[in-house]
């Protein structure tokens, strides 16, 4: 019959020390990377002038503060100003999430969350207020003064590069050979956006996008109602 070697040798010295209370459990230690927000709090907010704000955030400080006030109902936890600043910095620069996090003294996951939250807040609170058709007659008159009579806007599409969606990559390859999502935009005589439609696969043709977008449906209803009158 086989004999268990560990049993035949008896208890080890460590077992005896544990029983006698001579070995204590090691206290766990935690390590965290130190972060600082001094750059944001003391430099950007207090020292930077409008030219520096424009260069890094694509807007002046006054515009930034107004934007924060408008988005504050939808942004909680981290201060609104800092959250909006993180999102704008990430969108306005090619910096990585880690680099932006180091700038603002937060982790890269916080940067990612801030970008999504601010984008959703803009879509929910600002898009319906800012991107509107407005007074069509004023727009038509504006284009007429520029030498374009009977024009209610200028429309075009642009391709936004994206990573290939899983199992749908072929649908997003545009005619230039890269993966993209299409943004269709309408602007008035002052270059202000009055309508946007985004999310179409890069493979789709401009005509198909236009005919299936809400703008075309609205125009068709408007023309139909005028015809009936």
């Amino acid at each position: 019959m086989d004999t268990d070697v560990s049993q035949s040798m008896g208890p080890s010295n460590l077992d005896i020390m544990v029983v006698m209370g001579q070995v204590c459990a090691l206290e766990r230690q935690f390590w965290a990377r130190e972060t600082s927000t001094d750059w944001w709090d003391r430099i950007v907010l207090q020292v930077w002038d409008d030219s520096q704000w424009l260069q890094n955030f694509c807007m002046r400080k006054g515009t930034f503060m107004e934007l924060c006030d408008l988005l504050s109902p939808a942004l909680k936890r981290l201060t609104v100003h800092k959250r909006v600043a993180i999102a704008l910095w990430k969108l306005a620069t090619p910096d990585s999430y880690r680099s932006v996090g180091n700038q603002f003294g937060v982790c890269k996951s916080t940067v990612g969350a801030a970008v999504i939250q601010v984008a959703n807040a803009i879509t929910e609170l600002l898009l319906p207020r800012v991107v509107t058709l407005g007074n069509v007659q004023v727009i038509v008159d504006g284009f007429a003064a520029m030498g374009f009579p009977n024009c209610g806007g200028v429309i075009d599409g642009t391709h936004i590069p994206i990573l290939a969606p899983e199992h749908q990559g072929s649908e997003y390859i545009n005619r230039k050979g890269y993966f993209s999502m299409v943004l269709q935009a309408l602007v008035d005589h002052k270059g202000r956006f009055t309508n946007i439609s985004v999310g179409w696969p890069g493979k789709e043709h401009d005509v198909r996008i236009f005919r299936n977008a809400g703008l075309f449906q609205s125009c068709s209803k408007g023309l139909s109602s005028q015809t009936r009158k």
Side-chain angles (χ1 to χ4, degrees):
M1 182 176 180
D2 294 335
T3 303
D4 190 303
V5 177
S6 62
Q7 291 181 355
S8 64
M9 295 179 62
S12 66
N13 292 336
L14 180 60
D15 293 333
I16 296 174
M17 294 174 68
V18 170
V19 172
M20 296 178 64
Q22 296 181 7
V23 176
C24 299
L26 293 177
E27 183 179 353
R28 292 186 177 182
Q29 297 181 348
F30 297 91
W31 176 88
R33 180 172 62 87
E34 292 185 2
T35 59
S36 173
T37 61
D38 285 352
W39 172 79
W40 165 250
D41 296 328
R42 300 182 182 181
I43 304 299
V44 178
L45 286 179
Q46 299 183 27
V47 178
W48 276 15
D49 57 23
D50 277 347
S51 64
Q52 290 171 298
W53 277 86
L54 282 170
Q55 182 180 359
N56 292 282
F57 293 101
C58 297
M59 63 180 64
R60 293 181 173 83
K61 183 178 179 180
T63 304
F64 172 81
M65 293 300 180
E66 182 179 356
L67 178 63
C68 290
D69 290 339
L70 293 172
L71 298 180
S72 59
L75 300 176
K76 307 297 182 183
R77 297 178 64 183
L78 194 67
T79 62
V80 174
H81 294 83
K82 191 171 183 179
R83 191 172 293 274
V84 174
I86 289 172
L88 292 179
W89 187 284
K90 182 66 184 78
L91 295 173
T93 70
D95 293 359
S96 66
Y97 286 95
R98 186 183 302 278
S99 176
V100 176
N102 290 338
Q103 286 280 76
F104 288 89
V106 298
C107 62
K108 63 180 183 179
S109 61
T110 300
V111 176
V115 172
I116 297 299
Q117 291 166 0
V118 171
N120 288 337
I122 290 174
T123 302
E124 177 186 351
L125 299 176
L126 296 187
L127 188 62
R129 297 175 54 181
V130 178
V131 184
T132 61
L133 287 175
N135 190 320
V136 178
Q137 188 58 53
V138 171
I139 297 174
V140 172
D141 293 341
F143 276 113
M146 299 168 62
F148 301 98
N150 302 317
C151 179
V154 178
I155 189 170
D156 198 5
T158 184
H159 288 267
I160 303 172
I162 62 171
L163 297 176
E166 189 175 0
H167 307 306
Q168 301 181 46
S170 60
E171 295 297 319
Y172 287 83
I173 298 180
N174 60 38
R175 63 181 182 275
K176 296 184 179 180
Y178 63 88
F179 299 103
S180 67
M181 185 177 291
V182 181
L183 165 67
Q184 176 189 271
L186 178 73
V187 299
D188 64 11
H189 59 294
K190 293 185 177 181
R192 296 174 299 194
F193 288 99
T194 56
N195 182 271
I196 61 172
S197 179
V198 66
W200 298 90
K203 183 180 179 180
E204 297 292 346
H205 192 276
D206 289 348
V207 175
R208 175 177 171 79
I209 294 174
F210 174 67
R211 293 188 65 87
N212 287 276
L215 177 63
F216 178 79
Q217 308 301 328
S218 299
C219 291
S220 299
K221 292 179 181 178
L223 292 175
S224 298
S225 61
Q226 289 181 3
T227 302
R228 287 195 297 271
K229 290 180 181 179

